[in-house]
Every structure is written in C-alpha cells, then in structure tokens.
Amino acid sequence: MTFPRHPLLMLLLVAACARAGANPFEARGTVEVPEVDISALSAARVVAVRVEEGARVEAGDTLAALTQVDLDATIAAERARVATALANLRDLEAGSRPEEIARARADLSAARAEVDRTTKDLERVRSLVSRELASRESLDNA
C-alpha cells in the first residue's frame, strides 16, 4: 500500500480512519486546493484528454490532444498575408514608378500655375482698392 506524499492528504486519511472507530475525530477548518485554469492558444477541438481530473502534472506534460478544424484555412490566410507583405516590400524597394513621378510633376506644375494666377488676381485687386475702385471685402476675399 502506498501513502499520499502530501501532508494534507495524510491528515484527511487519518481523519477518515479515526471516524470509522468508536472514538470519532472531529476537526473544523478550511481546506484550500490550488486550482489552475488552462486554455489552448487558439480555437481547437479536443480529440483526447491524457490526464484525469485531480492528477498531478508537471510543466511540459501533455494534458490533451487538440485538432484545428480550420487549420487549412488559417494556413492559407497566413500565406496570403506573407505574399501581400512581400509584394509591398518589392514595391518599396523598387522606389517610385515613372507614372507616379510624372503625375507628381504635373501636379507641381498645376500648383505653380495656380500660385501665379492667384498672385496676379491679388495684385489687381490691391490696385483697384488703392484707387477706391473695389471694396476692402474684395481684397480680403482675394
């Protein structure tokens, strides 16, 4: 016969044996048992449970075997993310494309033309206001 190694279990065993005799043992108190919750790192289905409830386990012990129903879909999604990241990396390494550069130059040219037009409009309104041919509001708007 083997005896429990844990002192609390030994005390409970002695108490149970004493209760069976003519002179029962009576004690009051609280018995606390450490409890640890475990969970899988990702959603999965339990295929097999390898230990029984209450069994002593060590770090690294396999408690249950899990299977992922959507593992193929998860792998495909991760491969797609990697492909997208690689494509973005290639675009960044290649630098700006000639079409983007041409569009930026056209935008710059249009902005410069707008600055020239607006500057000429402002000078014209200033001239009219100085000769009292336009209102101060016109100048503010310009």
Side-chain angles (χ1 to χ4, degrees), residues 13-75:
L13 181 62
V14 169
C17 291
R19 196 173 276 262
N23 194 0
F25 176 77
E26 195 172 309
R28 296 177 203 267
T30 303
V31 176
E32 293 185 22
V33 178
E35 186 173 311
V36 178
D37 293 329
I38 61 168
S39 64
L41 296 175
S42 62
R45 188 173 46 113
V46 176
V47 176
V49 177
R50 304 263 167 90
V51 294
E52 301 218 6
E53 183 176 346
R56 184 179 188 99
V57 296
E58 300 292 327
D61 287 352
T62 300
L63 306 180
L66 307 175
T67 183
Q68 290 183 312
V69 179
D70 64 344
L71 187 58
D72 291 335
T74 302
I75 291 172

Coordinates of all heavy atoms in Angstrom, one line a residue, residues 13-75:
L13 N -6.7 11.4 5.5 CA -6.7 9.9 5.6 C -6.8 9.5 7.0 O -7.6 8.6 7.4 CB -5.5 9.3 4.9 CG -5.4 7.8 4.9 CD1 -6.6 7.2 4.1 CD2 -4.1 7.3 4.3
V14 N -6.1 10.1 7.9 CA -6.1 9.8 9.3 C -7.5 10.2 9.9 O -8.1 9.4 10.7 CB -5.0 10.6 10.1 CG1 -5.2 10.5 11.6 CG2 -3.6 10.0 9.7
A15 N -8.0 11.3 9.5 CA -9.3 11.7 9.9 C -10.4 10.7 9.5 O -11.3 10.4 10.3 CB -9.6 13.1 9.4
A16 N -10.3 10.2 8.3 CA -11.3 9.3 7.8 C -11.2 8.0 8.6 O -12.2 7.3 8.9 CB -11.1 9.0 6.3
C17 N -10.0 7.5 8.9 CA -9.8 6.3 9.6 C -10.3 6.4 11.1 O -10.9 5.5 11.6 CB -8.3 5.9 9.7 SG -7.7 5.3 8.1
A18 N -10.0 7.6 11.7 CA -10.5 7.8 13.0 C -12.0 7.9 13.1 O -12.6 7.4 14.1 CB -9.9 9.1 13.6
R19 N -12.6 8.4 12.1 CA -14.1 8.5 12.1 C -14.7 7.1 12.1 O -15.8 6.9 12.6 CB -14.5 9.3 10.9 CG -15.9 9.8 10.9 CD -16.2 10.7 9.7 NE -15.7 12.0 10.0 CZ -16.5 13.0 10.4 NH1 -17.8 12.8 10.6 NH2 -16.1 14.2 10.6
A20 N -14.0 6.1 11.5 CA -14.6 4.8 11.5 C -14.5 4.1 12.8 O -15.3 3.1 13.0 CB -13.8 3.9 10.4
G21 N -13.7 4.5 13.7 CA -13.5 3.8 15.0 C -14.6 4.3 16.0 O -15.5 5.0 15.7
A22 N -14.5 3.8 17.2 CA -15.5 4.1 18.2 C -15.4 5.5 18.7 O -16.4 6.1 19.2 CB -15.4 3.1 19.4
N23 N -14.2 6.1 18.7 CA -14.0 7.4 19.2 C -13.7 8.3 18.0 O -12.6 8.5 17.5 CB -12.8 7.4 20.1 CG -12.7 8.7 20.9 OD1 -13.5 9.6 20.8 ND2 -11.7 8.8 21.8
P24 N -14.7 9.0 17.4 CA -14.5 9.7 16.2 C -13.7 11.0 16.4 O -13.7 11.6 17.5 CB -16.0 10.1 15.8 CG -16.8 10.0 17.0 CD -16.1 9.0 17.9
F25 N -12.9 11.4 15.4 CA -12.1 12.6 15.4 C -12.9 13.7 14.7 O -13.4 13.5 13.6 CB -10.8 12.3 14.6 CG -9.9 13.5 14.5 CD1 -9.1 13.9 15.6 CD2 -9.8 14.2 13.3 CE1 -8.3 15.0 15.5 CE2 -9.0 15.3 13.2 CZ -8.2 15.7 14.3
E26 N -12.9 14.8 15.3 CA -13.7 15.9 14.8 C -12.8 17.1 14.7 O -12.0 17.4 15.6 CB -14.9 16.3 15.7 CG -15.9 17.1 15.0 CD -17.1 17.3 15.9 OE1 -17.7 16.3 16.3 OE2 -17.5 18.4 16.1
A27 N -12.8 17.8 13.5 CA -12.0 19.0 13.3 C -12.7 20.0 12.4 O -13.6 19.6 11.7 CB -10.7 18.6 12.5
R28 N -12.4 21.2 12.6 CA -13.0 22.3 11.8 C -11.9 23.1 11.2 O -10.9 23.3 11.8 CB -13.9 23.2 12.7 CG -15.0 22.5 13.4 CD -15.8 23.4 14.3 NE -16.5 22.6 15.3 CZ -17.7 22.2 15.2 NH1 -18.4 22.5 14.1 NH2 -18.3 21.5 16.1
G29 N -12.2 23.6 10.0 CA -11.2 24.4 9.3 C -11.5 24.5 7.8 O -12.6 24.1 7.3
T30 N -10.6 25.1 7.1 CA -10.8 25.3 5.7 C -9.7 24.5 4.9 O -8.5 24.6 5.3 CB -10.7 26.7 5.3 OG1 -11.7 27.4 6.0 CG2 -10.9 27.0 3.8
V31 N -10.1 23.7 3.9 CA -9.1 23.1 3.1 C -9.1 23.8 1.8 O -10.1 23.9 1.1 CB -9.5 21.6 2.9 CG1 -8.5 20.9 1.9 CG2 -9.6 20.8 4.2
E32 N -7.9 24.3 1.4 CA -7.7 25.1 0.2 C -6.9 24.2 -0.8 O -5.8 23.7 -0.4 CB -7.1 26.4 0.4 CG -8.0 27.3 1.2 CD -7.3 28.7 1.4 OE1 -6.5 29.1 0.5 OE2 -7.7 29.4 2.3
V33 N -7.4 24.1 -2.0 CA -6.7 23.4 -3.0 C -6.4 24.3 -4.2 O -7.3 25.0 -4.7 CB -7.6 22.2 -3.6 CG1 -6.8 21.5 -4.7 CG2 -7.9 21.3 -2.4
P34 N -5.1 24.4 -4.5 CA -4.8 25.3 -5.6 C -5.4 24.8 -6.9 O -5.4 23.6 -7.2 CB -3.2 25.3 -5.7 CG -2.8 24.1 -5.0 CD -3.9 23.8 -4.0
E35 N -6.0 25.7 -7.7 CA -6.6 25.4 -8.9 C -6.0 26.3 -10.0 O -5.9 27.5 -9.9 CB -8.1 25.7 -8.8 CG -8.9 25.2 -10.0 CD -10.4 25.3 -9.8 OE1 -10.9 24.9 -8.7 OE2 -11.0 25.9 -10.6
V36 N -5.7 25.7 -11.1 CA -5.1 26.4 -12.3 C -6.0 26.2 -13.5 O -6.3 25.0 -13.8 CB -3.7 25.9 -12.5 CG1 -3.1 26.6 -13.7 CG2 -2.8 26.1 -11.3
D37 N -6.4 27.2 -14.1 CA -7.1 27.1 -15.4 C -6.2 27.1 -16.5 O -5.2 27.8 -16.5 CB -8.1 28.4 -15.6 CG -9.2 28.4 -14.5 OD1 -9.6 27.3 -14.1 OD2 -9.6 29.5 -14.1
I38 N -6.5 26.3 -17.5 CA -5.6 26.2 -18.7 C -6.5 26.4 -19.9 O -7.7 26.2 -19.9 CB -4.9 24.8 -18.8 CG1 -6.0 23.7 -18.9 CG2 -4.0 24.6 -17.7 CD1 -5.4 22.3 -19.3
S39 N -5.9 26.9 -21.0 CA -6.6 27.1 -22.2 C -5.7 26.9 -23.4 O -4.5 27.1 -23.3 CB -7.3 28.5 -22.2 OG -6.3 29.4 -22.2
A40 N -6.3 26.6 -24.5 CA -5.5 26.4 -25.8 C -5.1 27.8 -26.3 O -5.8 28.8 -26.0 CB -6.3 25.7 -26.8
L41 N -4.0 27.9 -27.0 CA -3.6 29.2 -27.6 C -4.5 29.6 -28.7 O -4.5 30.8 -29.1 CB -2.1 29.1 -28.0 CG -1.1 28.8 -26.9 CD1 0.3 28.6 -27.5 CD2 -1.1 29.9 -25.9
S42 N -5.2 28.7 -29.4 CA -6.1 29.0 -30.5 C -7.3 28.1 -30.4 O -7.3 27.1 -29.7 CB -5.3 28.9 -31.8 OG -5.0 27.6 -32.0
A43 N -8.3 28.5 -31.1 CA -9.6 27.7 -31.1 C -9.3 26.4 -31.7 O -8.7 26.2 -32.7 CB -10.6 28.4 -31.9
A44 N -9.7 25.3 -31.0 CA -9.5 24.0 -31.4 C -10.5 23.0 -30.8 O -11.3 23.4 -29.9 CB -8.1 23.5 -31.1
R45 N -10.5 21.8 -31.3 CA -11.5 20.8 -30.8 C -10.6 19.8 -30.0 O -9.6 19.3 -30.5 CB -12.2 20.1 -32.0 CG -13.3 19.2 -31.6 CD -14.1 18.7 -32.8 NE -13.2 18.3 -33.9 CZ -13.0 17.1 -34.3 NH1 -13.7 16.1 -33.8 NH2 -12.2 16.8 -35.3
V46 N -11.1 19.3 -28.9 CA -10.4 18.3 -28.0 C -10.6 17.0 -28.6 O -11.7 16.5 -28.9 CB -10.9 18.4 -26.6 CG1 -10.2 17.3 -25.8 CG2 -10.7 19.7 -26.0
V47 N -9.5 16.3 -28.9 CA -9.5 14.9 -29.5 C -9.4 13.9 -28.4 O -10.1 12.9 -28.4 CB -8.4 14.8 -30.6 CG1 -8.4 13.4 -31.1 CG2 -8.6 15.8 -31.7
A48 N -8.5 14.2 -27.5 CA -8.2 13.2 -26.4 C -7.8 13.9 -25.2 O -7.0 14.9 -25.3 CB -7.2 12.2 -26.8
V49 N -8.2 13.5 -24.0 CA -7.7 14.0 -22.7 C -6.7 13.0 -22.1 O -7.1 11.8 -22.0 CB -8.9 14.3 -21.7 CG1 -8.4 14.8 -20.4 CG2 -9.9 15.3 -22.3
R50 N -5.5 13.4 -21.9 CA -4.5 12.5 -21.5 C -4.3 12.3 -20.0 O -3.6 11.4 -19.5 CB -3.1 12.9 -22.1 CG -3.2 13.1 -23.6 CD -2.6 11.8 -24.2 NE -2.9 11.8 -25.7 CZ -2.1 12.3 -26.6 NH1 -1.0 12.9 -26.3 NH2 -2.5 12.2 -27.9
V51 N -4.9 13.2 -19.2 CA -4.8 13.1 -17.7 C -6.2 13.2 -17.1 O -7.1 13.7 -17.7 CB -3.9 14.2 -17.1 CG1 -2.5 14.0 -17.5 CG2 -4.4 15.5 -17.4
E52 N -6.3 12.6 -15.9 CA -7.6 12.6 -15.2 C -7.7 13.9 -14.3 O -6.6 14.4 -13.9 CB -7.8 11.4 -14.4 CG -7.7 10.1 -15.3 CD -8.7 9.1 -14.8 OE1 -9.5 9.4 -13.9 OE2 -8.7 8.0 -15.4
E53 N -8.9 14.3 -14.0 CA -9.1 15.5 -13.2 C -8.5 15.2 -11.8 O -8.6 14.1 -11.2 CB -10.5 15.8 -13.0 CG -10.8 17.0 -12.2 CD -12.3 17.4 -12.1 OE1 -13.1 16.9 -12.9 OE2 -12.6 18.2 -11.3
G54 N -7.7 16.1 -11.3 CA -7.1 16.0 -10.0 C -5.7 15.4 -10.0 O -5.0 15.3 -9.0
A55 N -5.3 14.9 -11.2 CA -4.0 14.2 -11.3 C -2.9 15.3 -11.2 O -3.0 16.4 -11.6 CB -3.8 13.5 -12.6
R56 N -1.7 14.9 -10.7 CA -0.6 15.8 -10.5 C 0.1 15.8 -11.9 O 0.4 14.8 -12.5 CB 0.3 15.3 -9.4 CG 1.5 16.2 -9.2 CD 2.4 15.7 -8.1 NE 3.4 16.6 -7.7 CZ 3.3 17.4 -6.7 NH1 2.2 17.3 -5.9 NH2 4.2 18.3 -6.4
V57 N 0.4 17.0 -12.3 CA 1.1 17.2 -13.6 C 2.3 18.1 -13.4 O 2.3 18.9 -12.5 CB 0.2 17.8 -14.7 CG1 -1.0 16.8 -15.0 CG2 -0.4 19.1 -14.3
E58 N 3.2 18.0 -14.3 CA 4.4 18.8 -14.3 C 4.4 19.7 -15.5 O 3.7 19.5 -16.5 CB 5.7 17.9 -14.4 CG 5.8 17.0 -13.2 CD 6.1 17.7 -11.9 OE1 6.7 18.8 -11.9 OE2 5.5 17.2 -10.8
A59 N 5.2 20.8 -15.5 CA 5.3 21.7 -16.6 C 5.8 20.9 -17.8 O 6.7 20.1 -17.7 CB 6.3 22.8 -16.3
G60 N 5.1 21.1 -19.0 CA 5.5 20.4 -20.2 C 4.7 19.1 -20.5 O 4.8 18.5 -21.5
D61 N 4.0 18.6 -19.5 CA 3.1 17.4 -19.7 C 2.0 17.7 -20.7 O 1.5 18.8 -20.7 CB 2.5 17.0 -18.4 CG 3.5 16.4 -17.4 OD1 4.6 16.2 -17.8 OD2 3.1 16.1 -16.2
T62 N 1.7 16.7 -21.5 CA 0.6 16.9 -22.5 C -0.7 16.5 -21.7 O -0.8 15.4 -21.2 CB 0.8 15.9 -23.7 OG1 2.1 16.3 -24.3 CG2 -0.3 16.1 -24.6
L63 N -1.5 17.5 -21.6 CA -2.8 17.3 -20.9 C -3.9 16.8 -21.9 O -4.7 16.0 -21.5 CB -3.2 18.6 -20.3 CG -2.2 19.3 -19.3 CD1 -2.8 20.5 -18.8 CD2 -1.8 18.3 -18.3
A64 N -3.9 17.3 -23.1 CA -5.0 17.0 -24.0 C -4.4 17.1 -25.4 O -3.5 17.9 -25.7 CB -6.2 17.9 -23.8
A65 N -5.0 16.4 -26.3 CA -4.7 16.5 -27.8 C -5.8 17.3 -28.4 O -7.0 17.0 -28.2 CB -4.5 15.1 -28.4
L66 N -5.4 18.3 -29.2 CA -6.3 19.1 -29.9 C -6.2 19.0 -31.4 O -5.1 18.7 -31.9 CB -6.1 20.6 -29.5 CG -6.0 20.9 -28.0 CD1 -5.7 22.3 -27.7 CD2 -7.4 20.6 -27.3
T67 N -7.2 19.4 -32.1 CA -7.2 19.4 -33.5 C -7.9 20.7 -34.0 O -8.8 21.2 -33.3 CB -7.9 18.2 -34.2 OG1 -7.7 18.4 -35.6 CG2 -9.3 18.2 -33.9
Q68 N -7.4 21.3 -35.0 CA -8.0 22.5 -35.5 C -8.7 22.2 -36.8 O -8.2 21.7 -37.8 CB -6.9 23.6 -35.8 CG -6.3 24.2 -34.6 CD -5.3 25.2 -34.9 OE1 -4.5 25.1 -35.7 NE2 -5.4 26.3 -34.2
V69 N -10.0 22.5 -36.7 CA -10.9 22.2 -37.9 C -10.5 23.1 -39.1 O -10.5 22.6 -40.2 CB -12.4 22.3 -37.5 CG1 -13.3 22.1 -38.6 CG2 -12.7 21.4 -36.3
D70 N -10.2 24.3 -38.8 CA -10.0 25.3 -39.9 C -8.5 25.5 -40.1 O -8.1 26.6 -40.6 CB -10.7 26.6 -39.6 CG -10.2 27.3 -38.3 OD1 -9.5 26.6 -37.5 OD2 -10.5 28.4 -38.2
L71 N -7.7 24.5 -39.8 CA -6.2 24.7 -39.9 C -5.8 25.1 -41.4 O -5.0 25.9 -41.6 CB -5.5 23.5 -39.5 CG -4.0 23.6 -39.4 CD1 -3.6 24.7 -38.4 CD2 -3.4 22.3 -38.9
D72 N -6.4 24.4 -42.4 CA -6.1 24.7 -43.8 C -6.4 26.1 -44.1 O -5.6 26.8 -44.8 CB -6.8 23.7 -44.7 CG -6.3 22.3 -44.6 OD1 -5.1 22.1 -44.2 OD2 -7.0 21.4 -44.9
A73 N -7.5 26.6 -43.7 CA -7.9 28.0 -44.0 C -7.0 29.0 -43.3 O -6.6 30.0 -43.9 CB -9.4 28.2 -43.5
T74 N -6.6 28.7 -42.1 CA -5.7 29.5 -41.3 C -4.3 29.6 -42.0 O -3.8 30.7 -42.2 CB -5.5 29.0 -39.9 OG1 -6.8 28.9 -39.2 CG2 -4.6 29.9 -39.1
I75 N -3.8 28.5 -42.5 CA -2.6 28.4 -43.2 C -2.7 29.2 -44.5 O -1.8 30.0 -44.8 CB -2.1 27.0 -43.4 CG1 -1.7 26.3 -42.1 CG2 -1.0 26.9 -44.4 CD1 -1.5 24.8 -42.2

